[in-house]
Amino acid sequence: MVYIGPLEIPGRLIYDFLHIFILPGFGAILVLVILIIWAERKIAGLVQLRYGPLHVSRRIGGALQLVADLIRYSLQEFIVPENVDKIAYLMAPALALLFAVIPIAFMPTAPGIAPPIYVEPNLLLILAVISLAPIFVIVTGVASDNKFAFIGSLREAFLMISYEIPFIISILSTAFIYGTLDLYKIVEAQSKAFLGVLLNPFAALVAYIAILRITGRFPFEISEAESELVMGPYTEYSGLMYGVAMGIGYIKLYVYTLLFSIVFLGGWLPISSTGNIVFDYILGNIILLIKASILMLIAVFLRSVYPRYRIDQAVRLGWSLILILSGAAVAWSLIIRLIIWR
Amino acid sequence: MSLRIVEEEMDPEIKELIEKGFDKTKVLKVSLPKPGAVVQRNVDALLTGFKYVVKPMRLTIDYPYKAVEYPEGYRGMFRVDDNKCVGCSLCDVVCPADAIRLVLKDKKKVPVINWGRCIFCYFCVDICPVEAFETTKYHDAVFTRFEDMLTTLEEFTKRPEDYVPMRKIGKRYKVVIDEYRGLRYEPVG
Amino acid sequence: MEVDRGSSNDFLSNLSQELFMIRETGVREEGERLIELQIGPAHPGSGHMRILAWVDGDIVVRCDPDIGFVHRTIEKLSENRAYIKTIPLVERPSLLDTTPMTIGYVNAVEKLMGIEAPPRAKYLRTILAEITRIASHFYGIGILAIFLGHSTGFMWAFGDREVMIELATMLTGARITYAYVIPGGVRRDMPQNFPDQVEKGLRYIERRLKDWEKLFLNNPVVERRLRDIGVLKPVMARRLGITGPNLRASGVDYDVRMAEPYEAYDEIDFMIPVAEEGDAYARGLVRFKEIEQSISIIRQAIKKIPDGDIISPQISRLFNPLMKKIYAETRRVKFPSLLATLKPPKGEAMARVEAGRGEALFHIISDGSTNPYRFRFVTPSFRNVILFKYLIPGHRLADIPAIYGSIDYFPPEADR
């Protein structure tokens, strides 16, 4: 194992900076989120017999549409309604955004290079940070002093709990197989045997469905149901804050698919550490991002196929089929661990 | 829950109809599909969606870079030929939207139009006993002020292209109904 | 507790009470448990209307449709204008199936005047009415889809509707407000290549219906959202006076085209789709089946259409020589000046049509002057809007859009 631990090499600080701000941190987030939203609208356009965004930057098929949208959001007047709880109202989306991106700091994304914050059970830490997210959505809804926002945030709370538990169980069940809570070791274990998705398909299925729900993709885009709840928890937001609130779902999708790619799709595999740090860093990250992008593309494609579930149906699905499947995933992991792969 | 319609008050014909219903051979019983085969149906839906990603089939046109040329006989904007007009004022009488107003020219009443009110029903065009209106297919007018929509006689005798402010529009395409793609757009000329 | 402010009818208030009792909640006033939601008047549906829903937890205990936001005073306006000027006016409330409305109005005027359209005109009216019916059903399905969050269904419906609109444009020269039907006939004959184009369009729709079935109707999520939601029993449907596909989805086989054939419907062989279940899914399905039937009607009408005049001789004998020339050359009907000031004899006439959303009724009372003395116009959406009150209570908040979409309610049509 070729860890570059803290202060072991002089490039450590540079690497930390790159990890957080360029790849796979904020720079990649910005570019990928813009591209994914564009791809979502473009795919929807294809399925729906139309062009999709095209007017802004026609040469590259309207890919800069979201940049134009962002500029518009930032220039729009940002209204804070009179009756809202101002501190909570302003803090909640910012904190939700923050807690959505923090897990990246714990994720090893390239062979032979440790993440900026390296602790042994980093998978556990990531899951802990991730499970904080619904709190801010609830705060958003309650602080907004709006019935639709309130109902939306309650829906979010119900759904989050019913899907986060199977998600965490299914992710942990793979950890049983690999016998470690360290993402780096999980990838290494996969390089020695099969990819996680082959080792435990139940867990992969549950995790992917749960990701769809947690990040608010169709058919689980329930808390923001436009036709009855206006914009769900974010009804009272306008201007830049609305843009942020809208982007949180996609940023979460990015982070979750990164985690999924590492745990189930072998992260940066098939390459392994070559000793050349620059080469490893760039290639490892790009392979990981490609895997995550494919997962994100599938997730956004579902928008053009499915409507949204009703809240009780989605919750029931979460607590019945998905939970049972995650139980099966645990059982399967134990069988593999105890019988086949000792 | 019981049906409490007062029997005596009912029209016997309607009563008979309710009792009898229609000729049963004319009734198509629609049966809902049985639930089940969820995996199969999910796959079907996903594949159908994916088919359109791989083989796109666009019905829309890239307006305003391309625009539709409507078929012959499309009810677009029109002009009046004030030499042909006999001043019978029937167009004013028949206009359902009160869009046509009459002005005096050489002691003859001649129509002018308010494009803001016109609903393009062409009643005026059809009622004119001397065919004084000349129709065009021109339709994508862009007025920036309400006053511009009130035409003067001088304007209304011109073809719309010559005085109506228009958006810069690219090439014109003809709509063709297609068995496989729905609508196809073929360049005009 | 006050149950039903609007109605003094025992039956209705009992029914309302029954639905209230579906969920015994204890607290009825707004406050601790009950939230009053005002959905609308601007909402992502069709037209403006407000839905007042009282929600207990996630269950709607009471729902009031608040109509009238897009009222146009059509009945009063028509009393102050000549008969022919009302033709574009009756199109306005239901912008999606305009032709059935004009057919109904014109039929009533024709009955008053004692004229009848020639057979070819009747067939042309039938063809256009069925084209608009397909368009109207697609519109309804599209709204249902977007209410469920199925944006593809919405776009597909509006895209496929466009094909029908293009066909109608070829025939009439306008995209939506055709004003094609006039007393005594129609305004234009169909162009030479029209049957060919129609056949292509219909084949396209048939091809697409297969994809519709896979992506929308058989989609498990769509099915779960619509199955057993908003069940309308046949008894209740009859009692509330529901009409159109909503009635037929509840197992009542009633269709004006069959019960009182107008235009060319008695010469055409078609069936009326009837489902037993009466839930939202059945209502959607019946619309799809009606599209199939409409396709068959258009095919038959195109095949059977007789040659001949498209305007009644009572009108065409008033043509001046120029009008005769134009009619002979281009088959375009010019209006003789009499049409602008029609004076039907004293009396009253009534006509019914099956519009896309159900039965529309037109009742004209004439006092012998150029304007109708009274014009009563009952639209199908106006009769269906009561369903909000009776179908929604007891369901979840997320079912409001599903039920709204499935009854294909169109506010401007109800408000007139």
Side-chain angles (χ1 to χ4, degrees), chain C residues 107-392:
Chain C
N107 274 348
V109 176
E110 281 174 350
K111 276 181 194 168
L112 270 179
M113 295 178 31
I115 59 174
E116 199 181 350
R120 189 175 174 84
K122 286 187 171 180
Y123 270 87
L124 285 172
R125 288 177 183 182
T126 310
I127 291 168
L128 190 59
E130 291 306 316
I131 286 176
T132 52
R133 187 185 314 279
I134 296 178
S136 160
H137 280 341
F138 268 129
Y139 184 94
I141 291 159
I143 294 294
L144 171 62
I146 196 64
F147 271 149
L148 299 179
H150 197 280
S151 51
T152 300
F154 176 69
M155 292 289 175
W156 276 20
F158 277 68
D160 292 347
R161 173 175 167 261
E162 197 66 22
V163 177
M164 290 292 116
I165 288 177
E166 285 301 334
L167 286 176
T169 312
M170 283 173 201
L171 182 59
T172 65
R175 276 173 56 83
I176 291 166
T177 47
Y178 312 117
Y180 182 65
V181 184
I182 51 168
V186 293
R187 288 173 69 185
R188 293 179 187 187
D189 205 345
M190 59 184 184
Q192 279 286 304
N193 62 344
F194 186 67
D196 201 35
Q197 299 279 328
V198 166
E199 184 54 34
K200 277 185 190 164
L202 296 184
R203 284 209 193 132
Y204 167 75
I205 298 289
E206 278 179 335
R207 198 178 294 276
R208 292 275 294 154
L209 283 179
K210 287 181 196 135
D211 281 347
W212 267 104
E213 196 167 307
K214 281 187 193 155
L215 192 92
F216 186 73
L217 270 179
N218 281 349
N219 191 327
V221 186
V222 173
E223 202 204 341
R224 289 198 67 179
R225 282 301 302 275
L226 297 180
R227 265 277 167 94
D228 300 326
I229 297 302
V231 178
L232 179 64
K233 296 252 163 56
V235 178
M236 195 161 139
R238 278 194 191 126
R239 189 65 190 84
L240 296 173
I242 306 308
T243 172
N246 299 335
L247 179 71
R248 295 193 280 278
S250 293
V252 183
D253 44 359
Y254 179 76
D255 188 317
V256 181
R257 289 176 293 173
M258 205 74 99
E260 195 184 299
Y262 53 97
E263 306 308 344
Y265 284 111
D266 50 349
E267 295 167 30
I268 284 169
D269 184 34
F270 66 103
M271 292 169 90
I272 51 171
V274 173
E276 295 292 333
E277 283 80 358
D279 57 3
Y281 192 78
R283 287 194 280 275
L285 196 60
V286 162
R287 290 201 167 81
F288 273 104
K289 296 290 171 195
E290 282 196 10
I291 290 176
E292 284 172 13
Q293 289 301 317
S294 291
I295 289 173
S296 135
I297 294 175
I298 297 173
R299 283 224 173 97
Q300 290 178 46
I302 291 270
K303 205 180 278 173
K304 278 188 180 174
I305 188 163
D307 288 333
D309 277 336
I310 55 167
I311 188 82
S312 145
Q314 277 115 312
I315 305 282
S316 59
R317 72 186 159 84
L318 300 167
F319 283 174
N320 67 19
L322 179 66
M323 288 173 173
K324 276 191 185 129
K325 188 168 153 258
I326 289 170
Y327 178 59
E329 277 171 11
T330 62
R331 302 284 283 174
R332 187 159 69 86
V333 173
K334 294 282 283 180
F335 296 175
S337 57
L338 181 91
L339 266 185
T341 50
L342 276 182
K343 274 189 192 169
K346 256 185 191 176
E348 54 184 296
M350 197 195 78
R352 294 191 296 161
V353 287
E354 182 75 20
R357 297 188 176 76
E359 177 185 342
L361 181 138
F362 301 80
H363 184 192
I364 303 177
I365 301 176
S366 162
D367 57 356
S369 70
T370 55
N371 303 345
Y373 174 75
R374 175 85 171 91
F375 168 46
R376 175 82 178 124
F377 179 25
V378 183
T379 49
S381 283
F382 181 65
R383 291 170 60 181
N384 288 339
V385 68
I386 190 77
L387 284 178
F388 279 95
K389 209 168 168 57
Y390 293 98
L391 289 191
I392 290 176

Side-chain angles (χ1 to χ4, degrees), chain A residues 44 96 101 121 161 163 199 217 225 258 261 266 286 290 295 298 303 330:
Chain A
V101 293
I161 292 164
Y163 281 81
L199 276 177
R217 301 295 94 210
L258 272 190
S261 320
I286 284 175
I290 288 171
L295 290 174
I298 298 171
R303 172 181 287 268
V330 172

Side-chain angles (χ1 to χ4, degrees), chain B residues 22 24 26 28 30 32-33 41 51-52 70 73 75 93 96 121-122 125-126 128 131 177 179 182, chain C residues 81 85 173 175 177-178 187-188 207-208 211 218 223 227 253 269 271-272 274 326 332 334-335:
Chain B
F22 288 129
K24 292 297 172 208
K26 293 276 187 183
L28 177 71
V30 177
L32 272 60
R41 282 157 52 188
K51 189 176 92 188
Y52 284 88
Y70 276 108
R75 306 205 301 239
V93 171
C121 63
Y122 268 33
V125 176
D126 279 352
C128 183
E131 276 289 87
I177 308 260
E179 193 182 326
Chain C
R81 48 173 62 204
K85 289 190 190 182
R175 276 173 56 83
T177 47
Y178 312 117
R187 288 173 69 185
R188 293 179 187 187
R207 198 178 294 276
R208 292 275 294 154
D211 281 347
N218 281 349
E223 202 204 341
R227 265 277 167 94
D253 44 359
D269 184 34
M271 292 169 90
I272 51 171
V274 173
I326 289 170
R332 187 159 69 86
K334 294 282 283 180
F335 296 175

Side-chain angles (χ1 to χ4, degrees), chain A:
Chain A
M1 198 183 295
V2 202
Y3 273 144
I4 300 176
L7 305 175
E8 251 175 52
I9 55 157
R12 182 69 239 180
L13 277 177
I14 299 172
Y15 170 71
D16 286 353
F17 177 82
L18 288 176
H19 185 104
I20 291 170
F21 289 102
I22 311 292
L23 210 71
F26 290 114
I29 288 180
L30 198 66
V31 173
L32 263 183
V33 165
I34 284 174
L35 286 182
I36 271 305
I37 295 180
W38 171 72
E40 173 167 30
R41 294 165 71 170
K42 219 57 186 171
I43 290 173
L46 288 175
V47 179
Q48 296 168 359
L49 322 178
R50 57 191 174 88
Y51 282 88
L54 191 59
H55 191 74
V56 180
S57 68
R58 287 179 70 79
R59 291 240 177 94
I60 47 173
L64 296 184
Q65 176 67 45
L66 199 87
V67 178
D69 286 353
L70 268 179
I71 293 171
R72 190 190 75 85
Y73 282 137
S74 9
L75 297 180
Q76 202 181 5
E77 187 190 359
F78 174 50
I79 301 163
V80 181
E82 217 168 62
N83 289 339
V84 299
D85 186 341
K86 290 199 178 54
I87 293 169
Y89 175 82
L90 293 173
M91 289 288 282
L95 283 174
L97 185 66
L98 185 66
F99 277 83
V101 293
I102 280 179
I104 289 180
F106 303 111
M107 277 182 200
T109 54
I113 307 173
I117 305 171
Y118 180 66
V119 281
E120 187 70 30
N122 49 21
L123 179 58
L124 214 54
L125 214 55
I126 288 171
L127 291 178
V129 173
I130 276 173
S131 59
L132 278 177
I135 294 172
F136 304 112
V137 182
I138 297 169
V139 170
T140 313
V142 176
S144 288
D145 187 35
N146 178 306
K147 288 167 184 172
F148 294 110
F150 181 63
I151 293 176
S153 67
L154 283 183
R155 285 184 175 192
E156 183 79 11
F158 271 117
L159 287 163
M160 277 299 207
I161 292 164
S162 55
Y163 281 81
E164 242 169 25
I165 289 173
F167 179 73
I168 290 171
I169 293 176
S170 67
I171 293 280
L172 288 180
S173 76
T174 52
F176 295 162
I177 301 185
Y178 308 130
T180 174
L181 283 171
D182 181 358
L183 287 174
Y184 196 96
K185 283 179 188 153
I186 285 178
V187 175
E188 285 210 321
Q190 289 180 72
S191 75
K192 284 174 197 139
F194 300 107
L195 293 185
V197 67
L198 299 173
L199 276 177
N200 196 341
F202 299 112
L205 183 67
V206 170
Y208 195 70
I209 292 175
I211 286 174
L212 291 180
R213 169 45 236 151
I214 293 166
T215 58
R217 301 295 94 210
F218 277 85
F220 300 106
E221 194 247 32
I222 294 163
S223 51
E224 289 157 23
E226 193 199 6
S227 48
E228 69 257 21
L229 290 186
V230 194
M231 190 57 207
Y234 309 115
T235 302
E236 289 288 355
Y237 287 87
S238 59
L240 191 59
M241 287 299 254
Y242 176 78
V244 169
M246 211 184 70
I248 288 175
Y250 291 94
I251 293 169
K252 270 193 198 164
L253 182 65
Y254 171 73
V255 175
Y256 276 81
T257 46
L258 272 190
L259 182 63
F260 187 93
S261 320
I262 292 172
V263 175
F264 292 104
L265 297 179
W268 51 85
L269 297 179
I271 69 155
S272 55
S273 177
T274 56
N276 183 342
I277 295 175
V278 179
F279 179 78
D280 283 355
Y281 168 70
I282 293 174
L283 203 62
N285 271 309
I286 284 175
I287 288 174
L288 184 62
L289 286 196
I290 288 171
K291 287 176 181 176
S293 306
I294 291 169
L295 290 174
M296 284 197 276
L297 282 177
I298 298 171
V300 295
F301 164 68
L302 295 179
R303 172 181 287 268
S304 41
V305 176
Y306 288 116
R308 62 177 75 86
Y309 270 116
R310 212 169 61 202
I311 168 95
D312 61 318
Q313 291 166 344
V315 170
R316 191 169 295 136
L317 190 73
W319 285 119
S320 57
L321 184 68
I322 304 295
L323 194 66
I324 292 168
L325 269 179
S326 63
V330 172
W332 182 254
S333 292
L334 293 177
I335 291 169
I336 287 191
R337 183 67 189 171
L338 295 175
I339 299 166
I340 302 167
W341 188 21
R342 288 194 72 95

Side-chain angles (χ1 to χ4, degrees), chain A residues 155 158 228 310-313 315-316, chain C residues 23 39 53-61 225 229-230 391-403:
Chain A
R155 285 184 175 192
F158 271 117
E228 69 257 21
R310 212 169 61 202
I311 168 95
D312 61 318
Q313 291 166 344
V315 170
R316 191 169 295 136
Chain C
R23 186 152 162 110
I39 303 174
W54 282 263
V55 184
D56 167 25
D58 200 33
I59 310 282
V60 183
V61 289
R225 282 301 302 275
I229 297 302
L391 289 191
I392 290 176
H395 287 292
R396 284 176 185 275
L397 177 61
D399 287 330
I400 293 183
I403 292 172

Side-chain angles (χ1 to χ4, degrees), chain C residues 91-107:
Chain C
E91 287 186 330
R92 254 66 196 172
S94 58
L95 268 178
L96 312 150
D97 46 11
T98 49
T99 306
M101 298 299 178
T102 43
I103 287 177
Y105 175 75
V106 167
N107 274 348

